[in-house]
Amino acid sequence: MTKPYRKVMGLALASGKVGHVVLRDGKLLDWKVSKVAARSSHRMQQVLQSWLEIHNPDCVITEDINPYSRKSERTLSVMKAAEGVVVAFGCEHRPLPRERHFANKYLEIEALAECYPAIAPWAPAPRKCYEPEPLNTILFEALALVEQSKS
């Protein structure tokens, strides 16, 4: 059994976007997406430092990137910078391998939106294969990591 935390931040990165969600005692408090933070390690350090100062979480949960990940070198370097900021800030960092419990991310988003109605308006509709991934999917990836940490 993992240690329960009062205030948890989930942080997810994908190409061109970073998202975070903050929960206190299981209640969703805040969520944000940043394109700026995904541009470089330096930008990530600045943005994440401000998020940490605002929310002061007990723990930050990120995806544990495996060697077979399809994430770009830039995304990997931005993630490394984020880990450094979290450790320097003094809160616990929990990298978790991303588990998939749904046939696709849009079914997962739908389930998370039902559990957390406050974020439901930000749930993107499924996209066509030729459309770019909606920006807000990253919020639900961060939320999924927090949910995963509960088990």
Side-chain angles (χ1 to χ4, degrees):
M1 184 74 181
T2 60
K3 174 183 171 185
Y5 300 98
R6 278 210 73 199
K7 200 174 210 184
V8 178
M9 177 183 283
L11 185 69
L13 283 86
S15 182
K17 56 191 170 188
V18 176
H20 88 273
V21 296
V22 178
L23 287 86
R24 181 176 45 219
D25 297 326
K27 183 178 180 203
L28 190 58
L29 294 179
D30 191 33
W31 55 89
K32 292 218 179 355
V33 175
S34 175
K35 289 181 173 180
V36 171
R39 289 186 188 153
S40 69
S41 297
H42 179 69
R43 296 282 181 130
M44 177 54 144
Q45 291 168 337
Q46 292 174 323
V47 171
L48 183 54
Q49 183 68 36
S50 70
W51 287 348
L52 292 170
E53 288 170 0
I54 290 167
H55 296 294
N56 196 27
D58 300 318
C59 179
V60 176
I61 299 164
T62 61
E63 181 179 356
D64 186 17
I65 310 297
N66 69 46
Y68 307 105
S69 171
R70 297 184 319 194
K71 296 206 184 272
S72 70
E73 286 300 317
R74 179 189 293 185
T75 302
L76 293 173
S77 71
V78 169
M79 176 59 88
K80 202 60 133 169
E83 292 171 0
V85 172
V86 171
V87 170
F89 189 76
C91 60
E92 185 174 337
H93 175 234
R94 284 193 59 209
L96 297 176
R98 182 78 162 88
E99 295 175 1
R100 310 278 182 203
H101 299 288
F102 294 86
N104 64 57
K105 69 173 61 182
Y106 296 99
L107 292 175
E108 181 177 46
I109 287 170
E110 186 178 310
L112 289 167
E114 284 181 28
C115 292
Y116 298 95
I119 201 170
W122 281 266
R127 68 182 176 113
K128 305 282 190 233
C129 62
Y130 53 84
E131 295 175 331
E133 183 174 89
L135 187 65
N136 289 346
T137 57
I138 200 69
L139 292 172
F140 293 88
E141 289 184 30
L143 189 53
L145 285 167
V146 173
E147 279 295 299
Q148 183 182 321
S149 75
K150 293 178 180 179
S151 54

